[in-house]
């Protein structure tokens, strides 16, 4: 290996010159020695090839100069031998008698320079210099090539050789292995379009720009993030995570360098990519750490200051403006810490003894002139030129909050003893100045009756700055109303900026409106702009919450008091109700035992007035002729009889509660007799007897009035809602008991009043059927009851029974109609009726002598007229309906009021008139019909009725027993058995029990 150097300090090995110039040559060499030596440097001479090769083994030279002829060969042989060992060593071939052929042979053998025969010292020197320079360049070039190869083939770097246009000329093995392709697949492709960069964000565009800049001679660096799934050859550490999660992207630094030739022209580009993920992460962590440090210092509330022993600032924290309002330069200009925190902040001897002093409280004034309370920690340090570190914490807000909380605690204690909402409002508004340090405050309370927020308290400062508060509706039309409805506090830095609060006459600038729950709104204000910082808002909310809690307490206590009063009222009512119920129970027992109406009425009046509950009670009935109430029974004090004699009970006047009840048939209650005392004369009469409240109750049952029960009490409001209900139910019970007694008496009496009515109510079922079927329908009073209504056998005359069936098809009152006997439409009607008062108006069938159009069995839906009348002791005797008129006949026992019976019938029809009224008596000692009906079963009665109306008993028979049995759905044997049983029971009553002679003729009802 030849040493590096220039021609001036080169070492030259001259071979074969001594032998060739044995005579004159020595002189020439000697003549040239000085010149040559100056130009070439150190020259060593040898004579043979072997010596030259041995010299080259021992020490490196920069150039070999060989003669044409050597002692053991020629110069061509030496050149070849040297080239076998060192292809780069410069060789100058000097020929004395050479020609072009020799020159070509020398160059072909590897000679670097050829000096022809006419060479001179100058030419030789120039050839040596050129050869040495070329050798140096070649060695340098090979060294650079080796260096490039080492860099290019570095296994830790991905490298590409590119043409200036960015086309890939060559890629190293790591770059090819990473994408698992041969070099032929990437050679000639544009570098930015390789698969490497396809999933890098804006990768092709960024790398295309880098290639263009590098082609212009600039070294370009780019950092890109690439996912390991896109590149197979990244390091194993980046291939995935042990926990199975997705691997993080890797950061590659891509560098594109221009490669220039000797003319400084860019002939190629070298692109290299290195995995710098760890470095990038470290740099990112460092940047984040620096950012965290900077943000922490700039934003932490504590301020750090460092001074030297003289108190001069050596470090000022960037956040110093948070407390003091000055920047760090202004703090440095102050000079010493004494200017900022004041002198004598601490004792230096104490600091030296303790090393650190904590929580030193002091005050400092900021740039705006505001005073701050600080807690300062002082410690000894050694940081650059600083020796004392000051840590300053602003506790102004905390101090202020503590003072405000102390004042708020006093307010809370005062509110514990407040007994009304207005008192609470006064306390809160009065203490707001001390708690909030604001001069204006006020309070609204919600009026639930008027749905208005009423101002109830205001501070002198509010009156001075704003004037008196005005009422506000509880809606969104005002700020106060909106805050109350929505329940969210609102604060205003400057009321002039709010259209809702704009008021040219006010001097308030900052304002806050806070809800007091469902009770009202609390107002605070200040003449300063933006007076509500975080502490003030917090304290305002606390004060409002304290006031709301006090208002809740007062409301709860009021509710409890009202509940207690209500419970007391309820207890009194329950006590009264218990007493009333006890009276009612006693009355019920008496009603069950009573045998007559007089006993019922007497028992009721006696029980109602036996205790202190009521003073006077009486029962009266209406005298139809005089249209006034007549007292039947009364109970209580003797003054009650005088009262009845002194007041008018006329139904025409109807001012007295009993008369009004009789006229209206509704419960009448007078809670206080004193009301309208001069308007109605009965009130003064009642009041003079200490009757202060009255209740009149109709004795009504099934729309029938049996009279009026009137009760008087010696205290106002004695008849509450519960008592009214109980008395109304008692009136129904009394009426029902009277009806039951009258029904019982009706069964035991033989005398009765017969009433005949002309009915013009078109809705009466018999009238509608007669009109629709154009016939006469007769009903003799026989009714068979069943669970879903009643069944009646009806005679059809002057028409077809089937027409009656058709007419009843769409009537709701008729469940069904069945033809029992078709009859003869043209037959005459032979019905015997006694209209002369002989005690008989019964229609009966006289065997074959009576011929009717037919008989139908009508199933009627409840309620049926006969059942309604029977509830009041009235018996339905007959109904006869023609297409134009209807006659209804009823029997009223002597024990039943005929006038009331007229009312019962009248209430059953829309249009009815009493046609006749007469008395009738039974001719037998017992009621044969009733006795018989009591002994017959429903099935036996049904069989004999169907047989009778079906013509079984006519002569000749219109229907056989088999036909009737088939209609009933029973066997003929069962039919005959029922008929014989009924006949036996009938004859037993007639001949054995009544003892009626066989030749006696009786009218049987």
């Amino acid at each position: 290996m030849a040493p590096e150097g220039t021609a001036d300090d080169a070492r030259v090995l001259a071979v074969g010159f001594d032998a060739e110039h044995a005579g004159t040559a020595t002189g020439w060499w000697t003549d040239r020695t000085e010149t040559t030596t100056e130009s070439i440097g150190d020259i060593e001479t040898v004579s043979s090839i072997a010596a030259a090769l041995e010299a080259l083994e021992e020490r490196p030279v920069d150039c070999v100069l060989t003669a044409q002829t050597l002692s053991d060969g020629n110069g061509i042989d030496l050149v070849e031998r040297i080239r076998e060992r060192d292809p780069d060593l410069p060789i100058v071939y000097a020929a004395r008698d050479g020609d072009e052929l020799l020159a070509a042979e020398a160059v072909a053998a590897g000679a670097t320079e050829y000096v022809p025969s006419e060479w001179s010292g100058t030419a030789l020197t120039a050839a040596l210099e050129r050869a040495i320079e070329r050798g140096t360049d070649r060695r340098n070039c090979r060294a650079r090539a080796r260096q490039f190869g080492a860099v290019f083939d570095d296994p830790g770097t991905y490298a590409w050789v590119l043409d200036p246009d960015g086309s890939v000329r060559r890629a190293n093995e790591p770059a090819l292995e990473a994408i698992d392709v041969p070099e032929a697949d990437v050679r000639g492709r544009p570098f930015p379009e390789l698969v490497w960069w396809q999933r890098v964000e804006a990768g092709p565009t960024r790398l295309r720009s880098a290639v263009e800049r590098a082609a212009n001679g600039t070294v370009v660096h780019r950092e890109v993030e690439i996912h390991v799934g896109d590149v197979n050859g990244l390091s194993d550490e980046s291939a995935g995570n042990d926990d199975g999660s997705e691997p993080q992207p890797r950061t590659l630094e891509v560098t594109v360098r221009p490669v220039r030739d000797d003319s400084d022209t860019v002939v190629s580009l070298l692109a290299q990519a290195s995995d710098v993920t760890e470095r990038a992460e470290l740099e990112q962590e460092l940047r984040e750490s620096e950012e965290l440090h900077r943000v922490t210092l700039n934003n932490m509330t504590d301020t750090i200051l460092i001074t030297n022993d003289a108190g001069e600032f050596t470090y000022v924290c960037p956040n110093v403006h948070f407390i003091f309002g000055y920047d760090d330069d202004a703090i440095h200009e102050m000079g010493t810490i004494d200017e900022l925190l004041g002198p004598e902040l601490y004792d230096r001897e104490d600091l030296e003894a303790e090393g650190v002093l904590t929580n030193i409280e002091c005050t400092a004034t900021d740039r705006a002139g505001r005073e701050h309370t600080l807690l300062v920690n002082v410690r000894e340090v050694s940081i650059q030129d600083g020796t004392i570190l000051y840590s300053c914490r602003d506790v102004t807000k905390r101090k202020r909050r503590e003072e405000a909380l102390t004042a708020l605690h006093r307010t809370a204690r005062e509110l514990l003893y407040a007994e009304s909402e207005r008192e609470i409002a006064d306390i809160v508004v009065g203490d707001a100045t001390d708690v909030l340090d604001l001069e204006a405050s006020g309070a609204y309370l919600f009026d639930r009756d008027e749905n208005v927020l009423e101002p109830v308290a205001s501070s002198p400062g509010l009156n001075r700055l704003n004037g008196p508060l005005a009422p506000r509706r509880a809606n969104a039309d005002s700020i106060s109303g909106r805050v109350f409805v929505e329940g969210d506090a609102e604060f205003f830095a400057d009321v002039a900026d709010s259209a809702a609060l704009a008021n040219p006459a006010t001097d308030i600038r900052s304002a806050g409106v806070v809800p007091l729950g469902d009770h009202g709104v609390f107002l605070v204000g200040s003449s300063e702009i933006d007076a509500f910082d975080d502490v003030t808002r917090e304290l305002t909310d606390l004060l409002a919450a304290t006031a709301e809690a006090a208002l809740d307490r007062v409301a709860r206590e009021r509710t409890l008091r009202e509940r207690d009063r209500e419970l007391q009222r309820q207890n009194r009512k329950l006590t009264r109700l218990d007493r009333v119920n006890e009276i009612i129970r006693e009355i019920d027992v008496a009603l069950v035992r009573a045998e007559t109406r007089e006993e019922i009425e007497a028992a009721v009046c006696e029980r109602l007035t036996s205790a202190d509950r009521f003073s006077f009670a009486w029962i009266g009935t209406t005298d139809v002729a005089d249209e006034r109430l007549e007292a039947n029974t009364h109970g209580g004090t003797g003054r009650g009889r005088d009262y009845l004699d002194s007041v008018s009970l006329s139904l025409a006047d109807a001012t007295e509660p009993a008369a009004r009840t009789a006229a209206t048939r509704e419960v009448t209650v007078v809670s206080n007799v004193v009301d309208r005392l001069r308007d109605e004369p009965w009130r003064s009469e009642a009041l003079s007897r200490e009757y202060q409240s009255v209740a009149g109750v109709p004795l009504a049952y099934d729309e029938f009035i049996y009279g009026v029960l009137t009760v008087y009490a010696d205290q106002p409001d004695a008849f509450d809602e519960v008592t009214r209900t109980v008395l109304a139910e008692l009136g129904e019970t009394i009426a029902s008991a009277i009806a039951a007694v009258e029904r019982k008496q009706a069964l035991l009496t033989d005398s009765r009043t017969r009433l005949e009515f002309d009915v013009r109510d078109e809705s009466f079922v018999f009238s509608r059927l007669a009109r629709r079927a154009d016939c006469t329908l007769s009903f003799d009073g026989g009714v068979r009851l069943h669970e879903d209504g009643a069944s009646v056998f009806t005679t059809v005359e002057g028409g077809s029974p089937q027409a009656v069936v058709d007419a009843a098809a769409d009537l709701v009152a008729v469940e069904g109609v069945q033809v029992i006997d078709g009859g003869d439409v043209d037959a005459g009607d032979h019905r015997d009726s006694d209209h002369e008062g002989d005690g008989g108006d019964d229609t009966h069938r006289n065997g074959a002598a009576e011929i009717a159009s037919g008989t139908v069995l009508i199933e009627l839906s409840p309620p049926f007229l006969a059942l309604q009348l029977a509830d009041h002791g009235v018996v339905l005797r007959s109904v006869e309906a023609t297409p134009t008129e209807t006659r209804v006949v009823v029997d009223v026992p002597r024990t039943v009021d005929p006038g009331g019976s007229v009312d019962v019938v009248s209430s059953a029809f829309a249009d009815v008139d009493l046609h006749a009224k007469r008395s009738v008596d039974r001719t037998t000692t017992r009621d044969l019909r009733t006795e018989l009906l009591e002994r017959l079963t429903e099935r036996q009665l049904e069989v004999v009725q169907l047989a009778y109306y079906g013509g079984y008993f006519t002569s000749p028979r219109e229907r056989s027993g088999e036909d009737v049995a088939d209609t009933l759905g029973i066997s003929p044997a069962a039919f005959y058995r029922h008929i014989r049983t009924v006949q036996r029971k009938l004859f037993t009553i007639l001949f054995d029990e009544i003892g009626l002679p066989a030749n006696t003729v009786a009218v049987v009802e």
Side-chain angles (χ1 to χ4, degrees), residues 738-948:
I738 294 174
V741 169
E742 291 184 345
R743 284 197 303 271
K744 181 177 178 181
Q745 292 178 349
L747 296 174
L748 300 176
T749 182
D750 293 332
S751 298
R752 58 187 63 204
T753 301
R754 180 158 293 170
L755 304 176
E756 298 183 9
F757 295 91
D758 290 332
V759 177
R760 289 177 295 278
D761 187 349
E762 295 182 357
S763 64
F764 185 37
V765 61
F766 285 95
S767 300
R768 297 182 68 180
L769 287 174
R771 188 168 56 255
R772 287 189 174 191
D774 193 19
C775 64
T776 299
L777 299 179
S778 300
F779 163 58
D780 65 355
V783 180
R784 184 169 62 87
L785 302 179
H786 52 78
E787 189 174 313
D788 297 328
S791 301
V792 295
F793 288 93
T794 305
T795 302
V796 181
E797 298 177 351
S800 169
Q802 185 60 43
V804 178
V805 175
D806 296 338
D810 60 346
L811 294 182
V812 177
V814 180
E815 294 289 341
V817 180
Q818 182 180 3
V819 177
I820 303 302
D821 180 14
D824 184 358
V825 176
D826 297 329
D829 181 17
H830 300 278
R831 300 177 62 83
D832 295 332
S833 299
D834 185 359
H835 299 288
E836 301 301 328
D838 59 354
D841 189 34
D842 302 282
T843 303
H844 56 274
R845 200 175 183 92
N846 295 322
E850 181 180 8
I851 301 176
S853 297
T855 304
V856 294
L857 177 62
I858 302 178
E859 301 284 347
L860 297 171
S861 302
F864 182 50
L865 176 63
L867 303 180
Q868 293 175 292
L869 297 176
D871 284 341
H872 301 282
V874 181
V875 179
L876 177 63
R877 300 306 305 170
S878 66
V879 175
E880 183 175 340
T882 69
T884 58
E885 62 182 0
T886 299
R887 175 71 54 83
V888 175
V889 180
V890 301
D891 281 352
V892 182
R894 291 294 187 185
T895 56
V896 178
D897 181 15
S901 301
V902 172
D903 292 339
V904 172
V905 177
S906 299
S907 65
F909 300 103
D911 189 1
V912 62
D913 289 328
L914 179 62
H915 175 73
K917 177 181 178 182
R918 55 196 174 92
S919 299
V920 296
D921 294 321
R922 297 172 184 245
T923 60
T924 61
T925 59
R926 301 183 64 183
D927 188 349
L928 173 62
R929 187 170 187 270
T930 301
E931 186 70 26
L932 180 62
L933 292 178
E934 289 179 352
R935 298 190 183 188
L936 296 182
T937 65
E938 290 187 5
R939 190 59 165 168
Q940 292 168 354
L941 180 61
E942 180 183 16
V943 170
V944 73
Q945 282 182 319
L946 190 59
Y948 177 76

Side-chain angles (χ1 to χ4, degrees), residues 200-270:
V200 175
E201 184 178 357
T205 301
R206 297 177 62 193
L207 292 177
R208 191 175 296 112
S209 172
V211 168
E212 291 175 355
R213 292 186 59 192
N216 291 328
T218 303
V219 178
V220 183
H221 300 276
R222 293 285 188 271
E223 281 192 4
V224 298
E225 284 191 351
I226 187 168
H227 292 273
V228 298
D230 301 329
V231 180
N232 299 323
L234 288 180
S235 61
D236 293 339
E237 291 80 358
S238 64
N241 297 326
D242 294 338
D243 58 1
S245 60
E246 289 293 328
Q248 296 298 318
R250 308 294 291 178
T251 301
L252 298 182
E253 182 180 48
V254 181
T255 302
V256 185
R257 302 174 182 275
V259 179
R260 305 173 184 272
D261 60 6
D262 295 340
S263 63
D264 203 30
T265 300
V266 177
V267 295
S268 63
L269 305 175
L270 175 62

Side-chain angles (χ1 to χ4, degrees), residues 489-651:
E490 295 189 21
F491 292 90
F492 302 89
D494 190 350
V495 298
D497 296 335
S498 173
L501 291 176
N503 179 9
T506 185
D507 291 328
I508 291 179
R509 301 305 303 273
S510 300
V513 186
V514 185
L516 298 176
D518 297 334
H519 308 286
V521 173
F522 177 52
L523 309 176
V524 288
S526 173
S527 58
E528 298 180 0
I529 296 176
D530 198 13
F532 292 93
D533 55 16
D534 294 340
V535 175
T536 305
R537 292 193 180 195
E538 178 186 358
L539 293 172
T540 302
D541 290 336
L542 285 175
L543 182 58
T546 304
E548 181 181 349
L551 292 168
D552 289 339
R553 175 185 58 79
V554 170
R556 284 195 304 270
E557 292 176 352
R558 181 173 58 249
T559 301
L560 289 175
R561 288 194 298 270
E562 292 176 353
R563 187 174 301 171
D564 289 341
R565 288 193 291 268
E566 179 62 25
L567 287 176
Q568 293 175 1
R569 288 193 295 269
Q570 293 292 337
N571 288 334
R572 288 193 296 269
K573 289 173 62 177
L574 289 175
T575 302
R576 291 197 301 267
L577 182 59
D578 287 341
R579 295 172 60 187
V580 170
N581 286 336
E582 184 178 353
I583 294 172
I584 298 302
R585 285 194 297 271
E586 294 176 357
I587 292 175
D588 288 340
V589 173
L591 293 180
V592 172
R593 296 175 179 176
E595 297 290 338
T596 64
R597 176 169 180 168
E598 289 76 10
E599 292 181 11
I600 292 174
E601 293 177 349
V604 170
C605 293
E606 179 184 353
R607 296 301 191 281
L608 287 175
T609 57
S610 61
D612 296 335
R613 185 72 177 88
F614 303 113
S615 299
F616 178 54
W618 66 284
I619 294 176
T621 56
T622 304
D623 185 340
V624 179
D626 296 338
E627 291 193 354
R628 67 185 304 276
L629 274 178
E630 292 288 346
N632 293 348
T633 308
H634 55 78
T637 62
R639 291 175 296 177
R641 289 189 292 271
D642 297 338
Y643 171 76
L644 294 177
D645 293 337
S646 62
V647 297
S648 172
L649 299 178
S650 172
L651 300 186

Side-chain angles (χ1 to χ4, degrees), residues 380-425:
E380 292 182 336
V381 296
S382 178
I383 302 175
Q384 297 179 358
D385 296 332
T387 58
I388 301 176
L389 183 145
Y390 299 82
S391 173
C392 304
R393 173 169 297 181
D394 190 349
V395 294
T396 305
K397 291 183 178 180
R398 188 179 73 183
K399 194 79 171 179
R400 177 183 165 196
R401 185 183 290 109
E402 291 174 352
E403 295 173 352
L405 290 176
T406 301
L408 183 61
H409 184 64
R410 291 195 300 268
T411 301
R413 284 201 305 270
E414 293 180 22
L415 292 176
L416 287 175
Y417 303 99
E419 297 182 354
S420 67
E421 287 89 345
R422 288 183 177 270
E423 184 179 355
I424 291 172

